[in-house]
Amino acid sequence: MIRTFLMFLIAGLTISSCSRPSANDSAGGEMDSFISDLMDEMTIEEKIGQLNLITPGGGIPTGEAVSTNVEASIKEGKVGGIFGVTSPEKVRKAQTLAVEGSRLKIPLLFGSDVIHGYKTTFPIPLGLSFSWDMNLIEKTARVAAVEATADGLNWTFSPMVDVSRDPRWGRVAETAGEDPFLGSEIAKAMIQGYQMDDLTANTTMLATVKHFALYGAPEAGRDYNTVDMSRLRMFNEYFPPFKAAVHAGVGSVMSSFNDVDGIPATGNKWLLTEVLRNKWGFDGFVVSDYTSVNEMIAHGMGDLQAVSALALKAGLDMDMVGEGFLTTLRKSLDEGIVTDEDIDNACRRILEAKYKLGLFDNSFLYVNEALPAREILTEATRAVSRDAAARSMVLLKNNDQILPLKSEGTVALVGPLANDKNNMLGTWAVSGDPQTSVPVLEGMRNVAGNSVNIRYAKGANISDDAEFAEKVNVFGPRIVIDDRDPADLLSEAVKVAAGADVIVAVVGEASEMSGESASRSEISLPESQKLLVKELDATGKPLVLVIMSGRPLTIDEELALADAIIFTGHPGVEAGNAIADVVFGNYNPSGKLTMTFPRNVGQIPVYYSHRATGRPNPGDEFQKFRSNYLDVENSPLFPFGYGLSYTEFEYSEITLDKSSMTSEDSLTASITVTNTGDYAGEEVVQLYIHDQVRSITPPVKELKGFKKIMLESGESKTVEFVITEKELSFYNYDIDFVSEPGGFEVFIGTNSDELQTASFELIE
Ligand code: BGC
């Protein structure tokens, strides 16, 4: 697309109308010369100013610093972007300061953490990943972009694609789970939803893939902790979603807080330049995480001047909030520690992003006071959220087909999350208003109408521990400890339960029990809720647990007690309606776990694609001198990919169209899936591959494909997967992406543990 841009006046310099390529075209010559002309006019201070990202604190300040003197700084050309400022009115005001008040009139970027929706909050990202539905995930990102741009934003700090195998780490809530292949697919879908194919459209925004890199592997699951990992594991398991995001054209990358092979990511040249730019060809800009430049001082990398220079020279372009660049780069330049070229490179990349967004054409492209009322949190966007939430729920157990509930009789709806608005949105929902969310009680009444008598009792506090509650309640009341005695809450719930036909207990984590800086060393239900579940079970009534949480929990005791369990993540603004849709069977659950559920914390990390040992124990019986535990099985509570349906699916054997292939051709694996149950339903058919002999130890299996299919009761469908050399390749010891001839096993099935098998050879 060729566009014409307006007369652009720069003090003394006039760049007159001309045409230039669209945002998503590869950096064209016209963009280059436009930016070169502009940079010729810039002082070194103005260039450094472009590298400065500030926040006046309108979002969630996750560090100690919040920017001050915002207005003056913008006018002085000391600001490249701003975050935490939303609404057309406020954005117009700030942008006006930049384009009318500053010497060179360079527009600002307006960023925000639009993580799982904007004001229409969708399920937490971990929950969305349970849907395995790329169209749906793209749609949620699209809705988020339409809403956020209507509110003046042009840059989101999403998607987060950190692979994580440690549910103690609270930020697993924001991830796509443990698998690099699935994570890559989700990264692509989200970037497409945010950026589409034309960044200059006023409903598209720049995406940021984060946190580069290895942030999901902190030692002991403690947030911000050190990471130590082999390069083999980085390239094969932790980098793929980032690489996929780069290839999908993501506009920016955020560096992570942790160190990578001894050097903090924010100052790691190998990571930010050699891998990201030279190996993968990334041509956008890199932004630090919140004060992560300054935090390199605490990492032990020197004083503010030293760490700022380290970051710039490593390939970091924009400094979030800490102002290390702003306050020290001039001095480093004078002292010869950094060069003009280092500063120019970073400045150019920021200006390119602004150019690609169309901001030099129209700095107020994203500012339209009429849009918020029309686009934000509408009936239509709520409908998308409700659908997404229902599709994200995972049925973990359903004895005697107790679910779906019939629309009759009396339901005891109990639990601390059963009539709660404060926790439905989940973590990192900075723009969502908890008060707009639908509690489960309301949703159950909406869906069941008058045909079901729903009786509610709170039953327990999320936690009885006031000190714990205080730590969780930093962004508002998430754990509200009832004035009534816990024993009274419990006995009231037991009474309600005893008079009902079935109990639905909504239990789990408050939203801020997971998320940033919310690591837990025990990941069970809090004691108050464990007790509630036991007492409810003791009534002898059928017990359905609806478990909400931002991470996998250790729920072996509850699993034994409950008749049915639905795991919902934190479902978003339509939580109550979506849960009721699933409970009453308006939607037949199809979600599949994307993180393994451990039996206990001691098993962590436990994930499906581990490498084999020399002394494996494939079974669950303890064997001396085998790799296992004295006190717990090796198998997890629920494997990756697990999730039941109200119907049953039967898998045929796998058919391969040939028994061998070369690296030049391909092979097709097919399987027939039949819905043998009574309900129509969707199934995620999963393909895993195991390389039998390799020059580096291969994982026991790796996800290499999946298809979500819909089957009417009695219907069969044949699903085909085409296997090419790519699916058989890996990074070898020299970090070359190769395949090696030999035997392979193919697995297809309903989860990473229940699979059909076939095998073939890759021949030279
Ligand atoms: C988080 C980022 C987030 C940033 C800005 C940091 O603490 O790690 O994910 O984008 O704050 O809010």
PDB file of all heavy atoms in Angstrom, residues 734-751:
ATOM      1  N   ASP A 734      26.359 -28.414  17.916  1.00  0.00           N
ATOM      2  CA  ASP A 734      26.944 -27.184  17.361  1.00  0.00           C
ATOM      3  C   ASP A 734      25.889 -26.111  17.116  1.00  0.00           C
ATOM      4  O   ASP A 734      26.145 -25.106  16.457  1.00  0.00           O
ATOM      5  CB  ASP A 734      27.656 -27.495  16.031  1.00  0.00           C
ATOM      6  CG  ASP A 734      28.773 -28.509  16.230  1.00  0.00           C
ATOM      7  OD1 ASP A 734      29.458 -28.409  17.268  1.00  0.00           O
ATOM      8  OD2 ASP A 734      28.929 -29.400  15.373  1.00  0.00           O
ATOM      9  N   ILE A 735      24.707 -26.317  17.634  1.00  0.00           N
ATOM     10  CA  ILE A 735      23.568 -25.418  17.441  1.00  0.00           C
ATOM     11  C   ILE A 735      23.260 -25.230  15.955  1.00  0.00           C
ATOM     12  O   ILE A 735      22.948 -24.143  15.474  1.00  0.00           O
ATOM     13  CB  ILE A 735      23.750 -24.058  18.187  1.00  0.00           C
ATOM     14  CG1 ILE A 735      24.207 -24.284  19.636  1.00  0.00           C
ATOM     15  CG2 ILE A 735      22.476 -23.250  18.206  1.00  0.00           C
ATOM     16  CD1 ILE A 735      23.207 -24.968  20.555  1.00  0.00           C
ATOM     17  N   ASP A 736      23.341 -26.315  15.222  1.00  0.00           N
ATOM     18  CA  ASP A 736      22.840 -26.330  13.849  1.00  0.00           C
ATOM     19  C   ASP A 736      21.516 -27.082  13.864  1.00  0.00           C
ATOM     20  O   ASP A 736      21.390 -28.101  14.555  1.00  0.00           O
ATOM     21  CB  ASP A 736      23.816 -27.060  12.917  1.00  0.00           C
ATOM     22  CG  ASP A 736      25.095 -26.272  12.735  1.00  0.00           C
ATOM     23  OD1 ASP A 736      25.015 -25.021  12.697  1.00  0.00           O
ATOM     24  OD2 ASP A 736      26.176 -26.898  12.657  1.00  0.00           O
ATOM     25  N   PHE A 737      20.560 -26.577  13.098  1.00  0.00           N
ATOM     26  CA  PHE A 737      19.238 -27.210  13.045  1.00  0.00           C
ATOM     27  C   PHE A 737      19.296 -28.313  12.000  1.00  0.00           C
ATOM     28  O   PHE A 737      19.380 -28.028  10.800  1.00  0.00           O
ATOM     29  CB  PHE A 737      18.201 -26.147  12.676  1.00  0.00           C
ATOM     30  CG  PHE A 737      16.783 -26.579  12.917  1.00  0.00           C
ATOM     31  CD1 PHE A 737      16.333 -26.909  14.191  1.00  0.00           C
ATOM     32  CD2 PHE A 737      15.872 -26.625  11.867  1.00  0.00           C
ATOM     33  CE1 PHE A 737      15.016 -27.287  14.422  1.00  0.00           C
ATOM     34  CE2 PHE A 737      14.546 -27.002  12.086  1.00  0.00           C
ATOM     35  CZ  PHE A 737      14.129 -27.333  13.369  1.00  0.00           C
ATOM     36  N   VAL A 738      19.292 -29.554  12.458  1.00  0.00           N
ATOM     37  CA  VAL A 738      19.530 -30.684  11.554  1.00  0.00           C
ATOM     38  C   VAL A 738      18.540 -31.820  11.830  1.00  0.00           C
ATOM     39  O   VAL A 738      17.937 -31.892  12.893  1.00  0.00           O
ATOM     40  CB  VAL A 738      20.950 -31.276  11.752  1.00  0.00           C
ATOM     41  CG1 VAL A 738      22.022 -30.236  11.429  1.00  0.00           C
ATOM     42  CG2 VAL A 738      21.135 -31.814  13.171  1.00  0.00           C
ATOM     43  N   SER A 739      18.458 -32.709  10.851  1.00  0.00           N
ATOM     44  CA  SER A 739      17.809 -34.002  11.115  1.00  0.00           C
ATOM     45  C   SER A 739      18.890 -35.065  10.987  1.00  0.00           C
ATOM     46  O   SER A 739      19.895 -34.843  10.308  1.00  0.00           O
ATOM     47  CB  SER A 739      16.706 -34.258  10.097  1.00  0.00           C
ATOM     48  OG  SER A 739      17.263 -34.374   8.806  1.00  0.00           O
ATOM     49  N   GLU A 740      18.677 -36.175  11.655  1.00  0.00           N
ATOM     50  CA  GLU A 740      19.641 -37.271  11.547  1.00  0.00           C
ATOM     51  C   GLU A 740      18.887 -38.534  11.152  1.00  0.00           C
ATOM     52  O   GLU A 740      17.845 -38.848  11.748  1.00  0.00           O
ATOM     53  CB  GLU A 740      20.367 -37.467  12.878  1.00  0.00           C
ATOM     54  CG  GLU A 740      21.291 -36.284  13.213  1.00  0.00           C
ATOM     55  CD  GLU A 740      21.930 -36.396  14.597  1.00  0.00           C
ATOM     56  OE1 GLU A 740      21.631 -37.357  15.343  1.00  0.00           O
ATOM     57  OE2 GLU A 740      22.725 -35.495  14.925  1.00  0.00           O
ATOM     58  N   PRO A 741      19.380 -39.254  10.145  1.00  0.00           N
ATOM     59  CA  PRO A 741      18.696 -40.464   9.693  1.00  0.00           C
ATOM     60  C   PRO A 741      18.564 -41.486  10.822  1.00  0.00           C
ATOM     61  O   PRO A 741      19.374 -41.497  11.745  1.00  0.00           O
ATOM     62  CB  PRO A 741      19.628 -41.005   8.610  1.00  0.00           C
ATOM     63  CG  PRO A 741      20.529 -39.894   8.237  1.00  0.00           C
ATOM     64  CD  PRO A 741      20.628 -38.994   9.410  1.00  0.00           C
ATOM     65  N   GLY A 742      17.543 -42.300  10.726  1.00  0.00           N
ATOM     66  CA  GLY A 742      17.339 -43.326  11.747  1.00  0.00           C
ATOM     67  C   GLY A 742      15.862 -43.536  12.007  1.00  0.00           C
ATOM     68  O   GLY A 742      15.007 -43.057  11.250  1.00  0.00           O
ATOM     69  N   GLY A 743      15.568 -44.250  13.082  1.00  0.00           N
ATOM     70  CA  GLY A 743      14.190 -44.597  13.393  1.00  0.00           C
ATOM     71  C   GLY A 743      13.471 -43.510  14.186  1.00  0.00           C
ATOM     72  O   GLY A 743      14.065 -42.851  15.038  1.00  0.00           O
ATOM     73  N   PHE A 744      12.186 -43.343  13.885  1.00  0.00           N
ATOM     74  CA  PHE A 744      11.339 -42.391  14.619  1.00  0.00           C
ATOM     75  C   PHE A 744      10.056 -43.085  15.038  1.00  0.00           C
ATOM     76  O   PHE A 744       9.535 -43.934  14.304  1.00  0.00           O
ATOM     77  CB  PHE A 744      10.977 -41.191  13.734  1.00  0.00           C
ATOM     78  CG  PHE A 744      12.127 -40.259  13.495  1.00  0.00           C
ATOM     79  CD1 PHE A 744      13.060 -40.537  12.497  1.00  0.00           C
ATOM     80  CD2 PHE A 744      12.283 -39.121  14.268  1.00  0.00           C
ATOM     81  CE1 PHE A 744      14.127 -39.678  12.282  1.00  0.00           C
ATOM     82  CE2 PHE A 744      13.354 -38.261  14.055  1.00  0.00           C
ATOM     83  CZ  PHE A 744      14.282 -38.541  13.058  1.00  0.00           C
ATOM     84  N   GLU A 745       9.543 -42.686  16.191  1.00  0.00           N
ATOM     85  CA  GLU A 745       8.212 -43.141  16.581  1.00  0.00           C
ATOM     86  C   GLU A 745       7.241 -41.977  16.434  1.00  0.00           C
ATOM     87  O   GLU A 745       7.591 -40.836  16.743  1.00  0.00           O
ATOM     88  CB  GLU A 745       8.216 -43.571  18.046  1.00  0.00           C
ATOM     89  CG  GLU A 745       8.625 -45.017  18.238  1.00  0.00           C
ATOM     90  CD  GLU A 745       8.764 -45.314  19.715  1.00  0.00           C
ATOM     91  OE1 GLU A 745       9.627 -44.694  20.359  1.00  0.00           O
ATOM     92  OE2 GLU A 745       7.987 -46.142  20.207  1.00  0.00           O
ATOM     93  N   VAL A 746       6.058 -42.289  15.970  1.00  0.00           N
ATOM     94  CA  VAL A 746       4.986 -41.301  15.857  1.00  0.00           C
ATOM     95  C   VAL A 746       3.931 -41.694  16.870  1.00  0.00           C
ATOM     96  O   VAL A 746       3.571 -42.865  16.972  1.00  0.00           O
ATOM     97  CB  VAL A 746       4.284 -41.396  14.478  1.00  0.00           C
ATOM     98  CG1 VAL A 746       3.258 -40.309  14.318  1.00  0.00           C
ATOM     99  CG2 VAL A 746       5.269 -41.398  13.371  1.00  0.00           C
ATOM    100  N   PHE A 747       3.447 -40.718  17.613  1.00  0.00           N
ATOM    101  CA  PHE A 747       2.357 -40.973  18.559  1.00  0.00           C
ATOM    102  C   PHE A 747       1.211 -40.031  18.222  1.00  0.00           C
ATOM    103  O   PHE A 747       1.430 -38.845  18.008  1.00  0.00           O
ATOM    104  CB  PHE A 747       2.774 -40.659  19.992  1.00  0.00           C
ATOM    105  CG  PHE A 747       4.049 -41.315  20.445  1.00  0.00           C
ATOM    106  CD1 PHE A 747       5.250 -40.632  20.369  1.00  0.00           C
ATOM    107  CD2 PHE A 747       4.049 -42.594  20.977  1.00  0.00           C
ATOM    108  CE1 PHE A 747       6.429 -41.202  20.816  1.00  0.00           C
ATOM    109  CE2 PHE A 747       5.228 -43.176  21.424  1.00  0.00           C
ATOM    110  CZ  PHE A 747       6.425 -42.480  21.348  1.00  0.00           C
ATOM    111  N   ILE A 748       0.000 -40.566  18.214  1.00  0.00           N
ATOM    112  CA  ILE A 748      -1.168 -39.685  18.044  1.00  0.00           C
ATOM    113  C   ILE A 748      -2.204 -40.094  19.089  1.00  0.00           C
ATOM    114  O   ILE A 748      -2.433 -41.287  19.320  1.00  0.00           O
ATOM    115  CB  ILE A 748      -1.784 -39.793  16.630  1.00  0.00           C
ATOM    116  CG1 ILE A 748      -0.717 -39.510  15.552  1.00  0.00           C
ATOM    117  CG2 ILE A 748      -2.943 -38.803  16.480  1.00  0.00           C
ATOM    118  CD1 ILE A 748      -1.224 -39.625  14.120  1.00  0.00           C
ATOM    119  N   GLY A 749      -2.809 -39.092  19.718  1.00  0.00           N
ATOM    120  CA  GLY A 749      -3.817 -39.433  20.710  1.00  0.00           C
ATOM    121  C   GLY A 749      -4.422 -38.230  21.387  1.00  0.00           C
ATOM    122  O   GLY A 749      -4.264 -37.090  20.939  1.00  0.00           O
ATOM    123  N   THR A 750      -5.067 -38.528  22.485  1.00  0.00           N
ATOM    124  CA  THR A 750      -5.916 -37.553  23.171  1.00  0.00           C
ATOM    125  C   THR A 750      -5.164 -36.738  24.218  1.00  0.00           C
ATOM    126  O   THR A 750      -5.634 -35.697  24.653  1.00  0.00           O
ATOM    127  CB  THR A 750      -7.115 -38.299  23.802  1.00  0.00           C
ATOM    128  OG1 THR A 750      -8.000 -37.371  24.377  1.00  0.00           O
ATOM    129  CG2 THR A 750      -6.685 -39.301  24.859  1.00  0.00           C
ATOM    130  N   ASN A 751      -3.997 -37.227  24.654  1.00  0.00           N
ATOM    131  CA  ASN A 751      -3.131 -36.438  25.537  1.00  0.00           C
ATOM    132  C   ASN A 751      -1.725 -37.028  25.444  1.00  0.00           C
ATOM    133  O   ASN A 751      -1.523 -38.047  24.758  1.00  0.00           O
ATOM    134  CB  ASN A 751      -3.653 -36.427  26.983  1.00  0.00           C
ATOM    135  CG  ASN A 751      -3.670 -37.793  27.632  1.00  0.00           C
ATOM    136  OD1 ASN A 751      -2.640 -38.474  27.695  1.00  0.00           O
ATOM    137  ND2 ASN A 751      -4.833 -38.228  28.099  1.00  0.00           N
TER     138      ASN A 751
END
